[in-house]
Amino acid sequence: LIQKYFEKYEFGMFVATSGGKDSTVILDLALKINPFIIIVHNPKSITHPDTIKFLYDISQKNIINYVPSKYMKQFIRENNLKCQIDGTRISEFDRVDKSSDLIINGQTVSRTEMKDHGVGIWGLENIYPIYDWSDDDVFNYCKLNKLPLSREYKEYIL
């Protein structure tokens, strides 16, 4: 899926990363297609302290653009971005601590109804390469590819 959209948008794509497990997988997949892809983190006050440290560690190898929500539209325009690679997954449809709904094609959609792509906010094409993965799929991918994870997931790290 990432390769397909890379061929369509070339360098108009970016990876949105929270520093979480799903974002770690998405970032790895995207960097395999384009090692120079733009990486964006939208800082939030609720970010787990271990995840903040983890993002800092990642930034030692890759440039991470820290873009607050109020500047995101400007950042997208200035960088001519057209497509966001996102780690949102169906299996997290019942999260209580965060929104479980998405805006796709101008409609609020439950994760249970999501597909692998759609037009999201700011008119960006959003792709969800791991939308149908389970938690086990994510952790197994991380383990098989020796990807670092935030200590926030220490109970899953073997």
Side-chain angles (χ1 to χ4, degrees):
L1 189 64
I2 296 171
Q3 181 66 47
K4 173 183 166 183
Y5 280 86
F6 182 71
E7 290 170 8
K8 180 177 179 181
Y9 292 112
E10 295 187 49
F11 295 98
M13 294 179 70
F14 70 100
V15 176
T17 186
S18 65
K21 65 189 183 315
D22 304 328
S23 291
T24 299
V25 170
I26 291 298
L27 181 58
D28 184 67
L29 292 169
L31 287 169
K32 287 177 179 176
I33 303 295
N34 175 8
F36 304 105
I37 195 157
I38 294 172
I39 304 167
V40 176
H41 173 71
N42 178 251
K44 295 176 176 63
S45 60
I46 59 169
T47 303
H48 193 283
D50 287 335
T51 301
I52 293 170
K53 181 189 180 317
F54 177 74
L55 285 166
Y56 173 78
D57 292 344
I58 290 173
S59 70
Q60 302 306 301
K61 289 194 285 186
N62 304 95
I63 295 172
I64 297 178
N65 297 277
Y66 292 85
V67 184
S69 294
K70 68 180 183 176
Y71 298 114
M72 194 63 194
K73 189 173 184 179
Q74 177 183 344
F75 182 83
I76 289 165
R77 187 179 60 249
E78 287 174 355
N79 290 280
N80 198 29
L81 299 173
K82 306 289 183 207
C83 184
Q84 174 179 323
I85 306 169
D86 193 286
T88 301
R89 296 183 297 119
I90 293 170
S91 64
E92 295 186 315
F93 71 93
D94 61 352
R95 297 185 308 171
V96 294
D97 61 332
K98 297 180 185 172
S99 172
S100 292
D101 294 332
L102 305 166
I103 297 175
I104 299 177
N105 301 328
Q107 302 286 325
T108 300
V109 177
S110 166
R111 287 177 190 237
T112 59
E113 302 169 42
M114 72 183 288
K115 306 221 181 308
D116 65 3
H117 72 283
V119 177
I121 57 175
W122 302 303
L124 289 168
E125 179 107 32
N126 288 340
I127 62 170
Y128 309 101
I130 63 170
Y131 79 107
D132 58 351
W133 287 27
S134 68
D135 281 344
D136 285 344
D137 293 332
V138 170
F139 287 116
N140 286 335
Y141 181 91
C142 291
K143 183 177 178 182
L144 287 170
N145 290 278
K146 297 179 173 59
L147 298 180
L149 286 173
S150 164
R151 286 185 27 217
E152 170 180 11
Y153 303 107
K154 62 185 169 204
E155 65 190 82
Y156 299 100
I157 301 171
L158 302 175

